Amino acid sequence: MFPISALAQNSPVNVILFGSMDAGPSTFISSGFKAAPDRVDREGFAVLGVIGAGARLERGTTPTRSFIPTFVRTTSLTALLGGYQFFFDWGVIGLFVGPEGSFESVMGVAGFGPVETRIGARMQAEIWARPSEETLATATVVLGSARWDAYARISAGYRLFGAYLGPEAAAYADRTGYGKWSAGLHATDFSFGDFNFRLSGGCSYESATKRFGPYMSVASWVSL
């Protein structure tokens, strides 16, 4: 959900387009839209569509010729969710549910493995709260049954230099046993022309490589 800039506008906003990229030990790129029959920045029903793709390293469990092989898992997904947005004096709660599809393949020393296609359901819950004019707190939870994965992110920020600045933390896990945790700082809702952005970075840990490393994330959205 990216409602902060839309809430500040006086003209009707029916669609918000967004995109994001997370780069680190693993990489994931996504884009999508949020649309409403009346206005996205008003309480009511809304539709959320997402498409994305990513890649990550995984280590095999069986040593081969005295070394443990490393694989690259590529994943793409798409989802179309419907839901409702609840507006309060302090912020917004959005609840969405709908079908999702996942396409995965693993590449190793022997080449590409078969592409696995899975269909399931996805649930997404979001909170954007403004306890005061100068503060922002967010929480996002995503659960999917196509890959049996879960994602959660929380953040807090204080308005400085035209953006909300503060800490963030996120976690991800799926059916393969893969897990990722990250913590860092973010700058949310600064604008460049008609576009608004969120930049964040910090330290992450992945269970597949069992190493800490830096991460960087950028997200952008525009109201139509």
Side-chain angles (χ1 to χ4, degrees):
M1 179 185 295
F2 303 98
I4 299 301
S5 58
L7 289 174
Q9 297 189 16
N10 295 320
S11 60
V13 178
N14 301 103
V15 179
I16 296 178
L17 302 180
F18 59 85
S20 65
M21 180 185 71
D22 297 299
S26 62
T27 301
F28 195 84
I29 300 174
S30 66
S31 62
F33 70 90
K34 178 184 286 186
D38 183 16
R39 294 179 58 161
V40 176
D41 57 344
R42 294 291 184 268
E43 181 166 326
F45 291 97
V47 177
L48 183 66
V50 181
I51 185 171
R56 71 184 191 223
L57 293 177
E58 295 184 0
R59 300 181 67 186
T61 57
T62 303
T64 301
R65 295 180 181 178
S66 301
F67 74 95
I68 299 177
T70 300
F71 305 93
V72 177
R73 181 182 296 271
T74 59
T75 303
S76 60
L77 63 86
T78 182
L80 183 62
L81 315 178
Y84 198 89
Q85 297 184 125
F86 301 87
F87 278 67
F88 305 93
D89 292 339
W90 49 265
V92 186
I93 296 177
L95 300 174
F96 301 90
V97 65
E100 69 170 2
S102 173
F103 312 91
E104 286 186 330
S105 182
V106 176
M107 180 181 66
V109 293
F112 277 101
V115 176
E116 298 182 13
T117 302
R118 295 184 176 86
I119 304 297
R122 180 184 178 103
M123 187 277 289
Q124 185 163 329
E126 305 167 322
I127 299 175
W128 282 69
R130 296 181 63 178
S132 70
E133 287 295 325
E134 303 300 325
T135 58
L136 171 70
T138 73
T140 302
V141 176
V142 181
L143 303 175
S145 65
R147 303 182 64 245
W148 291 108
D149 59 349
Y151 168 81
R153 177 183 179 270
I154 57 173
S155 71
Y158 187 82
R159 191 79 176 178
L160 289 172
F161 309 112
Y164 293 95
L165 307 177
E168 68 171 11
Y172 173 85
D174 63 30
R175 61 177 177 79
T176 67
Y178 173 87
K180 179 180 178 180
W181 302 266
S182 63
L185 300 175
H186 72 95
T188 298
D189 202 37
F190 64 92
S191 60
F192 184 80
D194 293 333
F195 291 84
N196 286 70
F197 294 88
R198 184 194 77 214
L199 292 177
S200 58
C203 182
S204 66
Y205 174 83
E206 285 192 325
S207 61
T209 58
K210 301 185 185 302
R211 291 186 300 179
F212 289 93
Y215 79 90
M216 183 186 70
S217 175
V218 57
S220 176
W221 62 99
V222 60
S223 303
L224 300 182

